[in-house]
Amino acid sequence: VQILLKLWRNGFSLDDGELRSYSDPTNAQFLESVKRGEIPLELQRLVHGGQVNLDMEDHQEQEYVKPRLRFKAFSGEGQKLGSLTPEIVSTPSSPEEEEKSILNAPVLIDDSMPATKIQIRLADGSRLIQRFNQTHRVKHIRDFIIQSRPAFATTDFVLVTTFPNKELTDESLTLQEADILNTVILQQLK
């Protein structure tokens, strides 16, 4: 393993890493090992008994300046293209927001009939939670989205279940017939 030790006026750095102060006892031990011609214990652990080539640069007349990070290709996270699950940007809503969403609901609920809660994850990353009767139709979910977010009225979208992923193509089915009681529904833009 090739390691570059740079000595600065106010400390030292390893391989363009953070500045390490000369006054810190751990760092003083590190430098003492180097002065004795030994490989410091920290580096021995790093290479697991392998060979270490320690190069040194003297910059003791200069103050440490943090180096600019070099671009590393493919250093980020991967994203699955065409994923049925949109990336959720918003934070989960609190129970108060959930209640507010239900109280301002444009859906009429018959309290004498069985009800269910549906969470809808919108394509913009936000989510809605709404109570529906089990006899409401899939079309009512679409209407609720448009009433809650009028911007989607002119947008072509489909509703999809989360797992297994299935597009809800027959919007005349009741929520019970579509088997989406107490589930999460995704909105996907076409």
Side-chain angles (χ1 to χ4, degrees):
V1 176
Q2 186 79 24
I3 296 178
L4 179 60
L5 171 66
K6 291 183 182 178
L7 301 172
W8 303 93
R9 181 180 302 151
N10 50 342
F12 68 94
S13 62
L14 295 173
D15 287 335
D16 292 331
E18 294 292 319
L19 179 70
R20 298 167 73 168
S21 172
Y22 291 129
S23 60
D24 184 338
T26 308
N27 296 337
Q29 248 182 339
F30 184 95
L31 289 175
E32 278 301 314
S33 296
V34 171
K35 285 178 188 174
R36 288 191 306 264
E38 300 171 356
I39 299 298
L41 199 59
E42 174 185 334
L43 298 181
Q44 289 176 11
R45 285 191 209 117
L46 179 72
V47 297
H48 305 293
Q51 188 173 353
V52 176
N53 187 9
L54 184 63
D55 289 332
M56 293 177 58
E57 287 183 8
D58 186 8
H59 298 277
Q60 289 184 343
E61 65 282 344
Q62 301 170 12
E63 288 289 322
Y64 170 79
V65 178
K66 186 171 182 166
R68 289 188 8 219
L69 294 176
R70 281 182 259 150
F71 174 74
K72 275 184 42 191
F74 307 109
S75 61
E77 294 180 8
Q79 296 293 325
K80 184 177 177 184
L81 297 177
S83 172
L84 290 175
T85 308
E87 182 178 339
I88 304 302
V89 178
S90 64
T91 57
S93 67
S94 65
E96 295 81 28
E97 288 173 333
E98 186 177 316
E99 285 302 314
K100 190 172 106 182
S101 164
I102 290 170
L103 293 174
N104 295 336
V107 177
L108 296 175
I109 306 294
D110 182 352
D111 289 326
S112 66
M113 303 281 289
T116 183
K117 268 190 194 176
I118 304 283
Q119 181 185 126
I120 305 156
R121 293 187 183 165
L122 301 176
D124 65 4
S126 62
R127 73 178 189 170
L128 300 170
I129 298 172
Q130 178 59 45
R131 273 187 68 219
F132 292 92
N133 287 118
Q134 293 180 8
T135 55
H136 275 108
R137 308 216 173 259
V138 175
K139 180 173 181 6
H140 291 119
I141 296 175
R142 175 180 293 278
D143 295 341
F144 170 71
I145 292 170
I146 292 169
Q147 288 175 341
S148 300
R149 300 287 200 284
F152 288 122
T154 58
T155 307
D156 195 17
F157 65 88
V158 294
L159 301 175
V160 180
T161 61
T162 51
F163 189 79
N165 294 325
K166 181 180 78 174
E167 186 176 327
L168 299 171
T169 52
D170 187 355
E171 293 189 355
S172 65
L173 292 175
T174 66
L175 303 184
Q176 189 166 18
E177 291 168 343
D179 195 26
I180 56 172
L181 302 178
N182 296 313
T183 61
V184 176
I185 300 296
L186 306 175
Q187 177 199 37
Q188 281 188 330
L189 302 181
K190 278 191 172 181

